Amino acid sequence: MLLFALADSAAAQVPLTGTVSYTGSGFLHSWTGTSDELTGEIAVDLEQPEQATIRVEVPVASFDSGNERRDRGMREATEAEQFPTVSFVSQAVSARPWSGTEGRRKAAWIVTGKLTFHGITRDAQARVDVVEEGDAFRFVGTFRASLEAHDVDRPGYGPTRIGDQIELSFEATAPAP
């Protein structure tokens, strides 16, 4: 469950929908697993985004790479039953000023915080592009995570294991507050 909601300075929440994907790599190829089970919350005054607080979660078992064998192996490696979610909680937001006109504005945020995966919490940072599109906002971002840093035994065949780094990408939308 990836948690996200948008709030104005009065902390009114609105729903957020979207997807999150991870991209992994092996010796011969790379692949992407995607989940559309996003949930979360964000409290933000869009004129003062540095004050935003963000919490996001996604169920580990909800990722689908189109290959059930690979997905089953990833669920086993990440011990999805014991550690069912990946979560991120922000600690700071650095925001560039809005560009464009109201109703069609854009901004770039750097969000730093704590990523909890496989029961281990580490520092993480994501670049997030925020786009106002009429009466909605779109949040698009990416960040990298190390499987080894989160004590995940990387799956593979024989001595060949998947790469340590995975890239997490997300896109979410919310109605304007």
Side-chain angles (χ1 to χ4, degrees):
M1 305 183 227
L2 181 59
L3 284 219
F4 243 95
L6 180 64
D8 63 14
S9 59
Q13 294 186 358
V14 295
L16 180 83
T17 59
T19 61
V20 63
S21 300
Y22 79 91
T23 300
S25 62
F27 179 67
L28 298 174
H29 69 287
S30 61
W31 67 92
T32 299
T34 302
S35 172
D36 61 2
E37 295 186 26
L38 304 176
T39 60
E41 51 194 39
I42 178 172
V44 63
D45 174 342
L46 292 169
E47 299 309 319
Q48 297 179 358
E50 297 83 5
Q51 304 298 316
T53 58
I54 303 162
R55 176 168 154 51
V56 294
E57 289 184 348
V58 64
V60 174
S62 68
F63 287 94
D64 180 2
S65 71
N67 180 315
E68 178 52 36
R69 182 176 175 193
R70 177 176 40 234
D71 294 342
R72 185 175 49 253
M74 287 301 287
R75 287 190 301 271
E76 289 171 6
T78 59
E79 300 176 279
E81 287 187 23
Q82 184 177 355
F83 306 105
T85 61
V86 176
S87 65
F88 175 83
V89 177
S90 69
Q91 294 182 309
V93 175
S94 172
R96 293 194 181 125
W98 288 102
S99 63
T101 59
E102 193 161 334
R104 294 300 265 164
R105 299 181 295 177
K106 295 180 182 182
W109 296 358
I110 301 295
V111 180
T112 58
K114 298 291 185 179
L115 175 70
T116 301
F117 175 42
H118 196 243
I120 295 174
T121 302
R122 300 276 188 236
D123 292 335
Q125 184 177 75
R127 177 189 158 92
V128 181
D129 293 320
V130 183
V131 180
E132 181 183 27
E133 298 174 330
D135 60 355
F137 285 87
R138 184 166 43 107
F139 302 87
V140 179
T142 60
F143 62 98
R144 297 180 75 70
S146 162
L147 295 173
E148 290 178 2
H150 289 90
D151 199 27
V152 173
D153 184 20
R154 295 180 292 143
Y157 301 101
T160 304
R161 300 280 174 224
I162 67 168
D164 175 47
Q165 295 289 314
I166 58 173
E167 182 173 276
L168 295 158
S169 303
F170 57 89
E171 181 169 343
T173 58

